[in-house]
Amino acid sequence: MKGVGEMRKVIIDSDPGIDDSLALLYALKSPEIDVVAICVVAGNVPVEIGVKNVYYCLDLVNRRDIPVYLGATEPLVVPFVSAQDTHGFDGLGECHLAQATIVTPQEQRAAEFYAQTFAHPQEISVIALGPLTNIAQALDLNVNLGLNMQRFVSMGGAYLSHGNCSPVAEYNYWCDPDAAKIVYEKLGCPIEMVGLDVTRKIVLTPNLLQYSQYLNPQMGEILAKITQFYFDFHWQQEHVLGCVINDPLAVAYFIHTQLCSGFDSYVIIENQGVSRGQSLVDAHDFWRKPANAKILTQVDSTAFFVEFLAIVLDVPHEVIAQDMKNLKLGE
């Protein structure tokens, strides 16, 4: 961990989304990262809904000072298919918490903001929680984009895990496979792929949700309202008792890389046919190409929930850790 005064600057690219919103709350409350901007992309919900959810999260933590940039409203080539069946029409599980939120985004669009920000080397990283459309568009404006950023973490893809919107594809890469393909081929800095192999192990269970409500009734109630739709979807679709919260892991891993482990490899993203969005990982080096990604395959889910719940609920880490052990909440 970095010491006090050494917060790492990040731009979050997101499509909120239930788990994106949880990730945003976690990132905004974390004392170890400085969120310098949030860019919104079409994905789980259309951009106009996503930006409302971003501002709802900013209002919850009193961070209206953070600039928000509107990004791509549709994928590069394929028709836009949202994930509102998973996240609700409002993106927050039909709880309508952000319905009346007033939004004041920047005039500059996300792609132009990225291209300008990374025109020169910066001590700023990007955490992409949605489709990679904004990043692909920015690469078209600035080919040195990836060379001028510190790190690039992408919640997306699947290596050995099955997909969540097709047998082989994770939604973010399936939603805009052409953008994902471009980013993996042209970004120029290693892509840290936080895919379904690790995020499927991050399940917010009914016990953990009830525990959250006991520790912090106000925030616990918000978590309950946002995630109920997600709980129902996971039970109906996968018979999971709880909900997989993919995106917070990407933020937690960025801060605490020891939470996950994996290996470096060359990866391409398929953009056509029945394998659209599939992450083709050359784990055995058939193509003899330099690695362009780090594929995460293992995660300490208990350590993740200690970190996530402590920050989001404003409770000391040691309290969460002890309760997780005594109450077997991580099992």
Side-chain angles (χ1 to χ4, degrees):
M1 295 185 183
K2 286 201 170 191
V4 176
E6 296 183 84
M7 296 172 70
R8 286 165 282 182
K9 295 181 178 181
V10 298
I11 299 168
I12 295 181
D13 199 286
S14 186
D15 59 337
I18 292 169
D19 54 333
D20 302 75
S21 298
L22 299 181
L24 284 173
L25 289 174
Y26 169 52
L28 293 166
K29 290 167 72 73
S30 172
E32 298 189 70
I33 57 175
D34 176 16
V35 180
V36 298
I38 299 171
C39 296
V40 187
V41 65
N44 289 326
V45 293
V47 166
E48 62 270 16
I49 296 176
V51 74
K52 273 186 172 290
N53 294 341
V54 166
Y55 276 105
Y56 172 71
C57 293
L58 292 177
D59 287 341
L60 278 178
V61 295
N62 194 28
R63 289 302 310 272
R64 279 269 178 164
D65 56 296
I66 298 175
V68 178
Y69 296 85
L70 299 179
T73 59
E74 58 186 7
L76 296 181
V77 178
V78 300
F80 174 47
V81 179
S82 76
Q84 286 164 289
D85 61 331
T86 306
H87 296 265
F89 184 80
D90 66 349
L92 292 180
E94 305 290 3
C95 66
H96 307 295
L97 289 173
Q99 195 166 24
T101 302
I102 297 172
V103 303
T104 55
Q106 303 295 304
E107 290 186 10
Q108 189 179 36
R109 301 294 292 196
E112 288 79 9
F113 164 69
Y114 279 122
Q116 180 179 310
T117 299
F118 295 108
H120 305 286
Q122 301 287 342
E123 292 187 359
I124 302 174
S125 299
V126 174
I127 304 175
L129 304 177
L132 299 178
T133 320
N134 290 340
I135 312 302
Q137 289 181 338
L139 276 167
D140 195 44
L141 301 174
N142 175 5
V143 296
N144 294 319
L145 190 77
L147 299 176
N148 290 334
M149 64 178 64
Q150 290 283 294
R151 292 171 63 191
F152 186 85
V153 173
S154 170
M155 190 279 116
Y159 167 44
L160 297 179
S161 172
H162 61 282
N164 61 4
C165 61
S166 87
V168 297
E170 177 276 328
Y171 172 77
N172 286 337
Y173 292 179
W174 178 91
C175 180
D176 193 345
D178 299 282
K181 182 178 179 64
I182 288 170
V183 172
Y184 271 82
E185 290 177 354
K186 298 183 178 181
L187 185 61
C189 75
I191 297 168
E192 299 169 60
M193 190 181 104
V194 185
L196 296 180
D197 296 86
V198 286
T199 65
R200 282 193 182 279
K201 299 169 187 174
I202 305 300
V203 180
L204 180 66
T205 64
N207 280 351
L208 285 170
L209 184 59
Q210 184 66 66
Y211 174 67
S212 300
Q213 292 174 284
Y214 287 145
L215 287 185
N216 185 328
Q218 182 179 7
M219 184 57 71
E221 182 63 21
I222 290 171
L223 296 183
K225 286 181 178 178
I226 290 176
T227 58
Q228 184 58 59
F229 191 97
Y230 217 24
F231 270 58
D232 294 341
F233 176 86
H234 277 79
W235 178 255
Q236 292 163 8
Q237 295 296 315
E238 299 190 18
H239 236 51
V240 171
L241 192 58
C243 60
V244 176
I245 52 172
N246 303 281
D247 294 321
L249 180 60
V251 178
Y253 162 74
F254 174 83
I255 301 170
H256 306 292
T257 54
Q258 72 274 15
L259 285 175
C260 299
S261 61
F263 63 96
D264 297 334
S265 182
Y266 180 74
V267 178
I268 62 173
I269 309 300
E270 178 56 59
N271 64 339
Q272 298 181 37
V274 295
S275 57
R276 162 183 163 177
Q278 183 176 10
S279 314
L280 297 175
V281 179
D282 187 14
H284 300 286
D285 199 25
F286 281 104
W287 293 324
R288 298 289 190 267
K289 291 190 176 184
N292 61 352
K294 183 178 183 66
I295 314 305
L296 301 182
T297 57
Q298 301 295 324
V299 59
D300 186 336
S301 57
T302 299
F304 162 79
F305 274 111
V306 170
E307 167 63 18
F308 174 71
L309 294 176
I311 297 300
V312 171
L313 301 176
D314 298 305
V315 175
H317 285 72
E318 55 269 24
V319 171
I320 305 285
Q322 193 61 49
D323 285 344
M324 291 283 283
K325 180 179 179 182
N326 293 341
L327 302 175
K328 299 184 169 118
L329 289 169
E331 298 179 4

